[in-house]
């Protein structure tokens, strides 16, 4: 009997595979197999801001879509959204998403396209002020509202789909400072130097990380970073720690017997760690930089990372901020008008009125 029981137990994993596993899958599939076709369900286009909601805020488009534009690559891929802040082509964008303006162009709602000229880049706010070359007659955002006085639950709207559609949500937390945990590129390194004492061996690469996007692989040896020898793993940590999310570094690596060069754009450490822990799989994408802001207005308007840079308005049409980071499925940070607009006006004024040349005596 004992022998028979032991034999039966030893065969149980096989039985699970042969009998219980199909039953398990049938249990999971049961709701689908027996779905009531007469039960009403929402079509996909009505599962965020449905058409009836969007129709109700259609009259707000001049205050959102009307003062936004799409930022795209030279191949036409959407990179981000811009807020128009000057009728002569001045726009604000999320700086960490557009590190190389010469590789981008801007498309306005009237169909006009233009190259971008960088005017001022402000890492503290993660903003870049640029000017669309040769463009005039734009409709700039009216940036006079006070975001800090908005109560929790206040209705807000913003642009989605790269500045083509308006979405609705609410203020979901009070304005506050967001501290940062620094930058990361998403690799694990051996603590001891690589063979021959040259560089540091990479022993892990996080999925959906800057390192993976740059093509780094487990087994590569990091020889230098930002022009400095990768003498040990601690030195690599220190170099990255001094940088901001969104900055691009040049790496020299050895793969098998070949030396190669690549560029990696750093992300917020919190984003990389969330990915590594498997917590970001359901978020649908978050911003490269999502922390270290002097003050943010938090809302829950359903947006994508490429919608960052667009304006946020009240239902009265008052612009109260610019979206600056998608943090997770229900959290987006916006920079309040009070935080960036006084400085932005100074940057525009200095660009419009450059110092006049004085003849040397």
């Amino acid at each position: 009997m004992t022998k028979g029981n032991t034999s039966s137990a030893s065969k149980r994993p096989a039985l699970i595979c042969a009998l219980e596993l199909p039953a398990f899958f049938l249990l999971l599939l049961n709701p689908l197999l027996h779905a009531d076709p007469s039960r009403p369900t929402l079509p996909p286009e009505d599962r965020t801001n449905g058409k009836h909601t969007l129709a109700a805020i259609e009259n707000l488009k001049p205050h959102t879509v009307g003062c936004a534009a799409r930022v795209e690559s030279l191949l036409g891929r959407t990179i981000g959204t811009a807020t128009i802040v000057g009728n002569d082509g001045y726009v604000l964008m999320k700086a960490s998403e557009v590190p190389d303006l010469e590789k981008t162009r801007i498309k306005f709602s009237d169909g006009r396209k233009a190259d971008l000229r960088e005017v001022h880049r402000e890492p503290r706010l993660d903003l870049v002020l640029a000017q669309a070359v040769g463009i005039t007659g734009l409709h700039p955002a009216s940036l006079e509202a006070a975001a800090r006085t908005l109560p929790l639950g206040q209705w807000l709207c913003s642009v989605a789909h790269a500045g083509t559609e308006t979405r609705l949500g609410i203020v979901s937390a009070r304005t506050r400072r967001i501290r940062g945990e620094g930058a990361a590129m998403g690799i694990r390194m051996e603590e001891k130097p690589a063979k021959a004492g040259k560089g540091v061996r990479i022993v892990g690469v996080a999925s959906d990380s800057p390192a993976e996007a740059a093509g780094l692989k487990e087994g590569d040896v990091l020889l230098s970073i930002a022009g400095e020898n990768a003498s040990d793993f601690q030195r690599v940590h220190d170099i990255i720690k001094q940088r901001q999310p969104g900055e691009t570094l040049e790496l020299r690596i050895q793969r098998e017997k070949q030396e190669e060069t690549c560029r990696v754009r750093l992300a917020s450490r919190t984003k990389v760690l969330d990915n590594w822990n498997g917590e970001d799989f359901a978020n649908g994408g978050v911003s490269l930089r999502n922390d270290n802001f002097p003050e943010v207005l938090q809302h829950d308007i359903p947006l994508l990372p490429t919608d960052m840079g667009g304006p946020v308005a009240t239902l009265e049409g008052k612009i109260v901020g610019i979206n600056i980071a998608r943090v997770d499925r229900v959290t987006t940070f916006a920079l309040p008008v009070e935080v960036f607009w006084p400085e932005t006006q100074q940057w525009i004024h200095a660009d419009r009125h450059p110092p006049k040349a004085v003849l040397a005596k």
Side-chain angles (χ1 to χ4, degrees):
M1 184 68 179
T2 302
K3 183 178 179 181
N5 285 344
T6 302
S7 175
S8 174
S10 65
K11 294 179 180 177
R12 184 167 179 73
L15 290 175
I16 289 175
C17 292
L19 300 176
E20 296 181 6
L21 201 54
F24 174 70
F25 279 119
L26 285 173
L27 182 64
L28 289 177
L29 291 171
N30 189 55
L32 298 176
L33 295 174
H34 297 87
D36 180 3
S38 64
R39 184 178 179 181
T41 58
L42 284 172
E45 63 271 20
D46 284 345
R47 293 177 185 174
T48 50
N49 276 191
K51 57 184 179 183
H52 297 296
T53 303
L54 297 179
I57 56 176
E58 182 72 15
N59 63 338
L60 291 170
K61 277 193 171 182
H63 306 287
T64 54
V65 174
C67 56
R70 163 186 157 123
V71 183
E72 61 183 27
S73 71
L74 298 180
L75 297 176
R77 180 176 62 86
T78 300
I79 295 175
T81 305
T83 295
I84 301 168
V85 293
N87 59 5
D88 47 355
Y90 287 98
V91 294
L92 282 172
M93 296 170 286
K94 180 174 172 59
S96 56
E97 299 294 343
V98 284
D100 302 310
L101 282 186
E102 64 272 19
K103 297 180 180 178
T104 66
R105 61 187 172 190
I106 192 165
K107 182 178 181 181
F108 296 97
S109 57
D110 60 9
R112 287 184 290 175
K113 294 183 179 180
D115 294 331
L116 288 165
R117 177 181 69 88
E118 183 167 325
V119 177
H120 183 91
R121 188 172 287 265
E122 182 53 61
R124 181 174 57 87
L125 301 176
D126 197 18
L127 279 180
V128 59
L129 173 70
Q131 187 178 30
V133 179
I135 296 291
T136 58
L138 296 175
H139 172 63
S142 178
L143 298 162
E144 298 176 357
R148 289 169 178 157
T149 61
L150 295 177
L152 289 174
Q154 161 88 45
W155 288 105
L156 296 173
C157 63
S158 185
V159 294
H161 292 288
T164 61
E165 188 177 286
T166 301
R167 290 283 177 83
L168 194 64
I170 62 167
V171 176
S172 53
R174 298 190 185 283
T175 58
R176 64 195 188 283
R177 179 181 180 182
I178 299 296
R179 299 186 183 278
E181 295 186 16
M185 62 177 175
I187 60 171
R188 288 196 175 103
M189 298 170 284
E190 259 185 356
E191 295 191 11
K192 62 181 181 181
K195 291 181 179 178
K198 188 178 179 183
V200 182
R201 184 173 297 279
I202 297 172
V203 295
V205 176
S207 62
D208 191 27
S209 68
E212 185 182 69
L216 295 180
K217 296 180 179 178
E218 182 179 340
D220 290 343
V221 176
L222 182 57
L223 301 174
S224 69
I225 176 170
E228 187 172 335
N229 288 335
S231 53
D232 57 60
F233 83 100
Q234 188 58 53
R235 184 57 192 147
V236 175
H237 274 303
D238 292 342
I239 292 172
I240 295 174
K241 189 177 179 181
Q242 297 168 2
R243 305 300 179 121
Q244 280 281 358
E247 287 191 51
T248 300
L249 304 181
E250 185 170 292
L251 308 182
R252 189 75 181 163
I253 63 167
Q254 180 173 325
R255 179 169 295 164
E256 297 179 348
K257 296 182 179 179
Q258 296 291 325
E259 290 193 11
E260 301 177 13
T261 301
C262 65
R263 290 164 62 83
V264 59
R265 186 145 54 115
L266 302 177
S268 285
R269 184 175 175 78
T270 49
K271 167 186 166 64
V272 174
L273 291 179
D274 280 351
N275 280 356
W276 219 320
N277 294 328
E279 296 177 4
D280 191 34
F281 70 96
N283 284 336
V286 300
S287 297
L288 272 179
R289 175 175 167 183
N290 54 26
D291 57 16
N292 197 22
F293 299 111
E295 187 175 346
V296 300
L297 169 67
Q298 181 175 324
H299 62 77
D300 67 352
I301 303 172
L303 301 174
L304 295 173
T306 50
D307 296 322
M308 297 303 101
V312 185
T314 65
L315 298 194
E316 292 76 33
K318 297 178 179 178
I319 306 295
V320 293
I322 285 180
N323 292 314
I324 201 64
R326 186 178 193 265
V327 182
D328 57 38
R329 287 177 297 155
V330 293
T331 304
T332 294
F333 292 154
L335 288 176
V337 166
E338 301 95 314
V339 171
F340 68 87
W341 186 227
E343 289 181 71
T344 302
Q345 288 175 292
Q346 295 175 18
W347 304 334
I348 294 175
H349 179 80
D351 192 59
R352 283 174 175 161
H353 306 282
K356 294 182 179 177
V358 179
L359 293 174
K361 295 181 180 178

